[in-house]
Amino acid sequence: MTTTSNTNDESLRQEVKAWLAENWTQDISKELLNEQIYWEVSAARKNWLKKVVEARWAVPSWPEEWHGRAIANEQASIIEREFAKVRAPGAGQDRNNLWANTLLAQGQQGLKEKLIGPLLRSEVNMCLLYSEPGAGSDLAGIRTRADKQGDHYLVNGQKVWTSGAATAEYGMLVARTNWDVPKHQGISFFFCPMKQSGIEVRPLKQITNESHFNEVFITDATVPAENILGAPGMGWQVLNMALAYERSSMGEGARGPRSGVKQTNKEEPLINLAREASRLDEPHLRQQIAQAIAYKKLNALNTARAKADLSQGTSSSIMSLGKLAMSRILHEEGRLRTEILGAESLLEGADHPRAEDANFLSLNAYFTSIGGGTDQVQRNIIGERVLGLPKEPEVDKTIAFRDVRTS
Amino acid sequence: MNTLSSEERNALKDSVSKLMSDASTEAEVRRVMETAQGFDSDLWRALSEMGVIGLITDEKFGGSGVGPMELEAVMEETGAALLCSPLLASGVIAAELLQALGDETLNADLMPRVATGETIASAVITGDKGCWTESGVDISATAFEGGWQLEGRGNYVLHAQNADVLIVIANTESGLAAYTVDPSDDAVQIEALPTLDRTLRIASVRFSGAGAKQINATRPVWEAVSQALNLALVALAGEQAGGAKKVLDFTVEYAKTRIQFGRQIGSFQAIKHMAADLLVETESAISAARHAASSLADPSSHTHEAISLAAFACADAFVRTAADGVQMHGGIAFTWEHPAHLYLKRARANAQLFGSSDFHRENYLKALGG
Ligand SMILES: Cc1cc2nc3c(=O)[nH]c(=O)nc-3n(C[C@H](O)[C@H](O)[C@H](O)COP(=O)(O)OP(=O)(O)OC[C@H]3O[C@@H](n4cnc5c(N)ncnc54)[C@H](O)[C@@H]3O)c2cc1C
């Protein structure tokens, strides 16, 4: 590292700090940090993001043309760290904004101009139109079709488990554009407008008693040809890039408790819960609590190391581990909260927030262990792509998709 | 106690199984679990006619007078079908507690009605701590105008909201005592509690000077409570083993039919190995539950050891099978429409009803001399 870059780093750090000191005021931070919003973005939050984007803190490693500063990843992470210190949202989107990153890398100029800004400011709601009843783990087995007709594509088929489809303005859609080639080669990737008559969204009730995911029935929906990302038939490559962004963000965090009751001190939640339940002195619980917190800490350390690797320009295999690690963390935390509460965990509802949280976390842990690719599939990916172990033979990899066997 | 031959026991198990497949279908369970009462009166009557409610009640009080092995066998079937009913609350715990307390006059009057299911009895034992030792009792009784008055709160009481009579364990100046209380007394406040497992009905019961009749116990009261809890744990173990087996069955079936990557998902070793592990869990649970039942039926055996073992082995097996079952299904099992979550929630509830697995593991070690 040279002295110049050190000076540059330091002045950048001071610049962010000063900006945050001026803009991340008590009022704003209080409002945003107390929000319990997961599926909708509040006006206050949009306002804040707008400021962050204008000040070019959101995607500093991106080109200036796209709200960036064209600086190295290493420097961009300085900005992210300063934001993290004061818990201000909006930075680091060049790493973790799935939608904007995919669009920037693969989209056409017109679509980028239209949507990159709004995506960074969370002004458009998005969803992922990937999974189908017959194609979950085997995403390349999708049967939704997109047929080119002049300046647009006509789309027909059915998607399922689509989180957030009811409020989305666009869905990142994978559809088959060629049926005569093997399954990975005939897929294309689109930004599909959701608010049109050809798209019907039916909510599905989840085991958590919420309805955030949906079935999406697509009948003669139209997608402008310029909304394709990557070349026709190259959708699998675009998809893999998007999936990597999704999985890495799932490895860094997940939705917390939903009771809305805030812990007042900064203690580790499991320690706090055991203390409240007067069980913090039980040796077998202490051991398990230590282990559960350690899983979290170790994953955070892995992620930090992966980020450092990334900013030095090498891609990191550690990144692939985060989602699997997070799945274990969440299931374990749910289990342990249940164990600490004992009989109280039988209960649910607003009058029993501790039980509500333990149960919700236990159930919602499947969001991470199934959603975005199951733990089993994630292990296959780590084994094959990271460790270089031989691939399982795939019976349908080389035959034309028309001839593939289904459920 | 009459112990049935294994053919007779199997015949009983089969007829319960038949009743469950007719009247405790998934659709019925879903309907009934959303009702306030939480059980279906017609099915309750059918269980009565089959002798299931009075299964362990002595013949002299109108029951079938059979033992833990028959009860366990029946519970495997009701557990597999997620039966919603006060069977465990009234037909098992309350009935066995009454029998164990041994007040012949009371029993001659009350037990025949409990055995037919016409009267639902519910036992109030633990308080807010939800702990199943003597120290968990949080109600006190004081003598008042020739009778007794109760103060305090019982919690996690099975089907208290449906009870016609409460059997209450309370502290007195001279140790634990047992009482009957009329739940419609103004000084008794029963609050139905919202539960994650909607097939369950529990309530908290507050006594504010409620009038109570003392039960003339013929032995130390906690001894009688322990006897009732032992039988309840055997019944629950059977329910858990049956539930686990059912989840494994439908999960394996799905793994044979669901195709991804051009193959049945059961052909992937990740799925195959999970299924094999769950079979070990499930079969162990069945063995543990049946072993606990037979040792409770045989006074010369190591009853405490067997019951504690079954209590945690079956609880853990059911939770794990139901939890892994969801994972093995993928997204479909994250939906309310799919039955997997009903079993997962039942499993999680069962694992806490009469003490956690930790509590039972501790008791197991103690029974082994450790
Ligand atoms: C809460 C939630 C939210 C979701 N949100 C979205 C969304 O917004 N958009 C979207 O498109 N999808 C979404 N999904 C779908 C999710 O991506 C799929 O559920 C997931 O990829 C698994 O697919 P499947 O459900 O079809 O299960 P299947 O693929 O049928 O898998 C069934 C079982 O087989 C196993 N299996 C399959 N293939 C293999 C293999 N090769 N090796 C070993 N084991 C294997 C799986 O691990 C699983 O245990 C969501 C799912 C959940 C649970």
Side-chain angles (χ1 to χ4, degrees):
Chain A
M1 209 184 282
T2 65
T3 342
T4 0
S5 91
N6 265 337
T7 342
N8 281 345
D9 288 0
E10 196 41 44
S11 70
L12 179 64
R13 195 187 326 274
Q14 292 311 329
E15 194 189 338
V16 194
K17 267 196 156 119
W19 188 86
L20 283 167
E22 191 180 327
N23 292 280
W24 184 241
T25 58
Q26 282 273 326
D27 288 355
I28 297 183
S29 68
K30 225 180 180 171
E31 182 166 4
L32 295 197
L33 293 177
N34 282 323
E35 270 177 4
Q36 254 277 326
I37 296 173
Y38 192 75
W39 294 101
E40 289 144 55
V41 182
S42 68
R45 181 168 295 258
K46 283 181 194 161
N47 239 335
W48 168 252
L49 291 173
K50 188 159 176 263
K51 279 191 186 172
V52 176
V53 173
E54 266 166 17
R56 296 182 180 270
W57 301 129
V59 285
S61 66
W62 282 12
E64 295 187 7
E65 183 192 356
W66 301 111
H67 314 280
R69 299 174 168 239
I71 58 175
N73 289 333
E74 219 167 298
Q75 284 182 300
S77 65
I78 294 175
I79 298 170
E80 228 186 296
R81 270 200 299 276
E82 291 305 318
F83 269 68
K85 274 187 203 157
V86 296
R87 299 205 290 156
Q93 294 195 52
D94 39 6
R95 231 174 21 80
N96 62 24
N97 188 321
L98 152 69
W99 326 101
N101 279 289
T102 312
L103 180 57
L104 181 79
Q106 306 281 351
Q108 297 179 19
Q109 186 69 13
L111 194 65
K112 291 204 276 197
E113 278 166 10
K114 187 167 156 191
L115 288 178
I116 293 262
L119 284 171
L120 296 177
R121 299 190 293 266
S122 288
E123 289 165 2
V124 273
N125 294 318
M126 298 289 301
C127 68
L128 296 170
L129 297 166
Y130 300 163
S131 306
E132 298 179 4
S137 298
D138 181 17
L139 253 185
I142 50 159
R143 303 194 149 255
T144 293
R145 59 186 309 137
D147 298 296
K148 182 125 194 242
Q149 306 220 325
D151 63 352
H152 66 270
Y153 285 83
L154 203 61
V155 185
N156 283 282
Q158 189 202 332
K159 296 291 174 178
V160 73
W161 326 132
T162 318
S163 305
T167 49
E169 275 104 15
Y170 288 89
M172 294 213 298
L173 165 76
V174 284
R176 191 163 301 281
T177 43
N178 186 349
W179 298 70
D180 299 316
V181 290
K183 62 184 193 175
H184 296 95
Q185 293 162 32
I187 297 171
S188 300
F189 195 109
F190 303 91
F191 260 56
C192 173
M194 294 295 286
K195 306 292 181 205
Q196 57 170 308
S197 60
I199 292 197
E200 189 200 341
V201 176
R202 288 188 209 157
L204 286 165
K205 192 160 152 189
Q206 300 164 196
I207 62 176
T208 52
N209 203 6
E210 303 170 311
S211 296
H212 296 309
F213 70 12
N214 306 272
E215 293 177 290
V216 179
F217 296 87
I218 311 175
T219 317
D220 288 342
T222 59
V223 179
E226 74 212 30
N227 284 21
I228 195 167
L229 271 64
M234 293 297 283
W236 185 251
Q237 285 71 11
V238 183
L239 175 67
N240 270 294
M241 178 181 197
L243 281 173
Y245 280 116
E246 183 186 355
R247 288 168 180 163
S248 94
S249 71
M250 289 177 92
E252 285 185 47
R255 190 174 163 201
R258 70 170 170 191
S259 69
V261 175
K262 287 256 170 2
Q263 189 182 314
T264 47
N265 55 28
K266 285 208 171 137
E267 196 167 50
E268 278 287 345
L270 282 170
I271 298 178
N272 194 69
L273 186 67
R275 193 189 300 286
E276 271 185 35
S278 307
R279 298 192 64 183
L280 192 54
D281 58 349
E282 294 179 29
H284 78 285
L285 281 182
R286 293 178 67 83
Q287 291 284 321
Q288 295 183 70
I289 291 169
Q291 187 61 62
I293 296 172
Y295 284 147
K296 249 194 321 195
K297 180 69 185 172
L298 294 170
N299 186 45
L301 290 171
N302 273 343
T303 307
R305 189 153 64 93
K307 275 190 208 167
D309 283 359
L310 272 182
S311 59
Q312 265 138 43
T314 59
S315 85
S316 177
S317 58
I318 314 168
M319 217 66 204
S320 331
L321 308 184
K323 182 171 178 289
L324 191 58
M326 188 53 74
S327 157
R328 177 167 72 172
I329 289 166
L330 295 169
H331 279 285
E332 188 56 17
E333 177 166 353
R335 189 193 66 73
L336 199 43
R337 278 184 187 241
T338 306
E339 187 172 333
I340 293 169
L341 290 180
E344 189 181 331
S345 72
L346 291 167
L347 308 176
E348 71 166 6
D351 291 343
H352 309 283
R354 295 190 302 200
E356 172 78 12
D357 288 345
N359 288 321
F360 177 74
L361 286 174
S362 301
L363 297 175
N364 206 52
Y366 291 101
F367 186 100
T368 299
S369 66
I370 297 175
T374 66
D375 283 359
Q376 288 67 40
V377 165
Q378 199 64 14
R379 290 189 184 101
N380 289 346
I381 291 173
I382 293 168
E384 293 171 5
R385 295 194 204 155
V386 181
L387 296 173
L389 290 165
K391 274 185 158 293
E392 283 233 6
E394 271 183 59
V395 293
D396 57 0
K397 202 175 168 156
T398 51
I399 48 178
F401 187 74
R402 287 191 188 291
D403 306 321
V404 163
R405 179 181 170 213
T406 54
S407 289
Chain B
M1 177 174 70
N2 314 318
T3 298
L4 300 183
S5 70
S6 59
E7 293 85 61
E8 287 167 324
R9 194 177 316 127
N10 285 338
L12 172 67
K13 197 168 189 280
D14 286 348
S15 52
V16 174
S17 164
K18 171 89 180 36
L19 177 62
M20 292 299 104
S21 59
D22 290 344
S24 182
T25 58
E26 186 191 330
E28 262 304 286
V29 168
R30 285 176 185 275
R31 182 186 68 77
V32 171
M33 75 181 192
E34 300 299 346
T35 62
Q37 177 172 279
F39 70 96
D40 180 70
S41 301
D42 290 341
L43 178 52
W44 187 238
R45 255 190 304 279
L47 286 166
S48 168
E49 277 156 24
M50 204 171 261
V52 170
I53 303 173
L55 206 61
I56 55 95
T57 298
D58 212 290
E59 278 169 309
K60 74 177 172 205
F61 299 131
S64 316
V66 297
M69 292 167 76
E70 288 69 32
L71 176 64
E72 190 280 336
V74 164
M75 296 300 286
E76 285 184 23
E77 296 303 326
T78 61
L82 294 173
L83 169 69
C84 305
S85 88
L87 178 59
L88 187 61
S90 190
V92 180
I93 307 174
E96 184 70 357
L97 181 56
L98 286 168
Q99 287 189 139
L101 288 166
D103 182 333
E104 291 287 313
T105 324
L106 171 69
N107 289 354
D109 170 47
L110 183 55
M111 293 214 56
R113 286 181 282 131
V114 173
T116 58
E118 173 197 341
T119 289
I120 292 173
S122 177
V124 184
I125 300 168
T126 189
D128 287 353
K129 275 189 277 180
C131 130
W132 295 91
T133 59
E134 284 187 69
S135 67
V137 175
D138 217 7
I139 295 163
S140 53
T142 42
F144 179 75
E145 293 182 353
W148 291 84
Q149 267 192 347
L150 302 185
E151 285 286 342
R153 190 160 107 130
N155 211 343
Y156 311 108
V157 187
L158 285 169
H159 280 273
Q161 56 268 66
N162 293 315
D164 303 300
V165 57
L166 298 172
I167 321 290
V168 185
I169 306 301
N171 292 300
T172 69
E173 275 176 0
S174 48
L176 284 185
Y179 302 86
T180 56
V181 176
D182 176 359
S184 65
D185 186 324
D186 282 347
V188 179
Q189 227 180 348
I190 299 181
E191 188 194 343
L193 297 169
T195 47
L196 176 73
D197 172 14
R198 299 203 176 176
T199 68
L200 179 69
R201 287 298 175 275
I202 56 175
S204 66
V205 185
R206 179 174 290 289
F207 301 94
S208 320
K213 282 197 207 111
Q214 185 167 14
I215 299 174
N216 290 317
T218 55
R219 58 200 282 208
V221 164
W222 194 256
E223 230 180 77
V225 172
S226 298
Q227 182 180 320
L229 285 178
N230 279 344
L231 189 69
L233 286 170
V234 165
L236 195 64
E239 179 171 314
Q240 290 163 327
K245 172 105 176 41
K246 176 70 190 242
V247 174
L248 180 60
D249 287 349
F250 71 68
T251 304
V252 167
E253 194 48 43
Y254 187 71
K256 289 177 182 166
T257 48
R258 170 73 172 167
I259 289 176
Q260 289 287 279
F261 303 97
R263 307 156 47 167
Q264 290 134 302
I265 57 169
S267 72
F268 295 115
Q269 288 191 355
I271 296 298
K272 204 180 284 162
H273 290 184
M274 282 171 94
D277 285 344
L278 294 186
L279 183 63
V280 174
E281 291 288 324
T282 303
E283 290 301 336
S284 303
I286 295 172
S287 300
R290 292 182 185 173
H291 173 62
S294 70
S295 67
L296 188 58
D298 168 11
S300 68
S301 70
H302 296 286
T303 306
H304 285 297
E305 181 188 315
I307 289 178
S308 301
L309 172 62
F312 68 83
C314 298
D316 294 352
F318 191 15
V319 170
R320 175 162 175 206
T321 308
D324 284 0
V326 170
Q327 183 66 26
M328 290 165 73
H329 277 82
I332 187 90
F334 200 72
T335 62
W336 193 269
E337 283 71 26
H338 195 276
H341 77 104
L342 301 177
Y343 286 88
L344 179 57
K345 290 169 185 175
R346 172 70 73 91
R348 287 173 60 84
N350 281 359
Q352 302 293 345
L353 276 188
F354 303 116
S356 68
S357 287
D358 287 347
F359 172 71
H360 296 300
R361 259 189 291 272
E362 185 64 38
N363 286 343
Y364 182 55
L365 206 58
K366 282 190 188 132
L368 292 172

